[in-house]
Amino acid sequence: MCWCPRQYPEVWVQTPAGTRVAQWKNVDNTAGLVHLDFDLADEPEKGLYTLFVKTPRGQQQSVTFKVEEFVLPRYEVVLKPPAYILGTDEAFTFTVCANYTFGQPVKGNLSLTLDNTQRRKCKLDVTNNVTISGCKEVEVQASELRIIDCDVYSLKASAIVTEEGTGVEIKKDASVSITRNAVTFKTIYEDAYMKPNLPYSLKVRAEMPDGTPAGGVPMEVCAAGRCTNMTTAPDGLFTTVLPVYNTKRVYIKALNSRANMHQSEFSKTLEHSFSPSNSSLLIHAPEGKLKCVPGEAQDHLLPVLFSASDQTSAIFTVQVVSRGKVQYQGSQEYQLTSGA
């Protein structure tokens, strides 16, 4: 807790030349926060101004702020790094765009400098000087920045655009990480539990570092003492179904790992549901939201898996809850027939 005075005897503002341009006497601070303001002259003195405060104990505190002319930029520069750079990429492209505020492209010179953020013998920066008219793509070779040799994990980029004819310069900076994981795995769907005599379903999506699907990736899936080679679909998705109840864990590993890259792996420990009667029930809920049109009836097919021992029939009770209320409830007896 700090001690805050209830009143400041004097507060004033001083110009860079030492002229007092504003002052206030006996400033109230009972609320613990003071708001004061004053207007600068039409053509104020530029530089560092000083705000002084005299405390009730006679002490003097100060803080500075800068007054300078604001010039509205006539054009803007956008520096767009690659969505991602893999440690094995041989080349990558930075895009620089320079456009006037009214939309027309800027003509001039572009200086793009890339720094590999390393030290000593590994420290390198590469500068590309090219002409620009609106947007320009600049390709850089990874070998120029010794990304593999020096185990580089990030780059700093600086783009300076110099307008033709006026020499006006605008600078933009950006940074980009270099990833050593070509593919990551994201769980899309999983059954809550592994249940006796029922299959366990797991859906995973392989993604590139920018989150886009990684299609056609070969991988190995291991569970229940067996390993199987699979390939992701074009949308990066693949589903595995485990039929053995005593399975403890699922392992997934991408098979396209290269030198200087980390292996892309995924593992899932399965939670098991115990049933004294050795019976199980599983509902496969649809992904996403169900279609609902006011005033129209909708039919939805929800697969239900059920297993039991020494039982020829079972009564199923279905309850549908929406908006905090039971919208439907019904019971029906079904005959149980054996199946895969």
Side-chain angles (χ1 to χ4, degrees):
M1 181 178 294
C2 66
W3 176 80
C4 297
R6 297 179 63 85
Q7 193 174 73
Y8 295 112
E10 188 176 11
V11 178
W12 70 97
V13 178
Q14 190 170 288
T15 67
T19 303
R20 187 176 296 196
V21 291
Q23 67 177 13
W24 299 266
K25 297 287 187 178
N26 300 321
V27 177
D28 182 37
N29 187 37
T30 54
L33 186 65
V34 175
H35 292 275
L36 301 171
D37 63 83
F38 72 100
D39 295 327
L40 288 171
D42 291 338
E43 295 184 4
E45 182 181 355
K46 299 177 181 63
L48 289 177
Y49 283 62
T50 306
L51 172 66
F52 292 94
V53 176
K54 184 176 290 186
T55 69
R57 297 179 179 180
Q59 296 174 330
Q60 185 172 292
Q61 304 290 335
S62 65
V63 65
T64 60
F65 60 92
K66 190 175 184 180
V67 174
E68 59 184 355
E69 184 178 0
F70 173 73
V71 179
L72 184 67
R74 297 173 54 236
Y75 66 93
E76 63 176 1
V77 174
V78 176
L79 172 57
K80 183 179 180 181
Y84 61 87
I85 299 176
L86 296 179
T88 53
D89 286 347
E90 296 181 359
F92 40 86
T93 301
F94 282 76
T95 303
V96 180
C97 291
N99 292 287
Y100 291 106
T101 54
F102 50 83
Q104 293 300 311
V106 174
K107 293 183 178 181
N109 295 315
L110 165 64
S111 177
L112 178 65
T113 300
L114 297 180
D115 185 341
N116 69 356
T117 69
Q118 297 294 292
R119 295 182 178 180
R120 298 178 182 176
K121 293 182 180 180
C122 275
K123 182 171 180 57
L124 282 173
D125 59 72
V126 176
T127 299
N128 289 270
N129 294 302
V130 295
T131 58
I132 188 172
S133 178
C135 292
K136 185 74 174 183
E137 293 185 348
V138 180
E139 184 178 88
V140 180
Q141 300 298 315
S143 58
E144 296 183 74
L145 293 161
R146 301 186 67 183
I147 288 178
I148 294 179
D149 297 343
C150 291
D151 205 22
V152 178
Y153 272 82
S154 64
L155 298 176
K156 290 183 178 179
S158 177
I160 300 176
V161 175
T162 305
E163 185 184 22
E164 183 181 75
T166 65
V168 174
E169 292 184 352
I170 292 184
K171 179 181 178 181
K172 283 293 181 180
D173 298 321
S175 60
V176 60
S177 298
I178 298 173
T179 180
R180 293 299 194 280
N181 284 93
V183 177
T184 57
F185 297 103
K186 181 179 179 181
T187 302
I188 302 301
Y189 170 82
E190 59 180 330
D191 289 335
Y193 298 98
M194 169 70 85
K195 298 182 177 182
N197 303 313
L198 290 183
Y200 177 91
S201 297
L202 173 67
K203 181 182 287 187
V204 178
R205 181 170 62 207
E207 296 181 346
M208 302 300 290
D210 62 347
T212 57
V217 176
M219 60 190 60
E220 186 178 40
V221 182
C222 298
R226 297 181 57 187
C227 294
T228 303
N229 288 347
M230 303 177 66
T231 302
T232 60
D235 57 5
L237 293 173
F238 69 95
T239 301
T240 181
V241 179
L242 308 174
V244 182
Y245 177 69
N246 61 6
T247 303
K248 300 296 183 182
R249 185 185 292 265
V250 180
Y251 296 92
I252 301 173
K253 177 181 176 181
L255 300 178
N256 61 350
S257 181
R258 298 176 57 187
N260 201 40
M261 295 287 287
H262 301 320
Q263 293 187 351
S264 300
E265 297 179 321
F266 172 90
S267 66
K268 172 67 180 177
T269 301
L270 307 184
E271 296 287 341
H272 288 67
S273 174
F274 173 72
S275 171
S277 62
N278 204 32
S279 60
S280 302
L281 178 69
L282 178 64
I283 300 176
H284 280 177
E287 298 180 14
K289 295 182 178 181
L290 296 176
K291 182 181 179 182
C292 179
V293 179
E296 293 185 10
Q298 299 289 330
D299 292 329
H300 300 289
L301 181 62
L302 303 181
V304 177
L305 304 180
F306 179 76
S307 71
S309 300
D310 302 325
Q311 187 173 340
T312 59
S313 66
I315 297 176
F316 286 81
T317 299
V318 177
Q319 186 180 77
V320 178
V321 180
S322 176
R323 299 186 296 276
K325 297 181 179 180
V326 177
Q327 305 293 339
Y328 169 84
Q329 181 168 318
S331 298
Q332 185 174 344
E333 184 175 5
Y334 290 88
Q335 296 299 313
L336 303 180
T337 56
S338 61

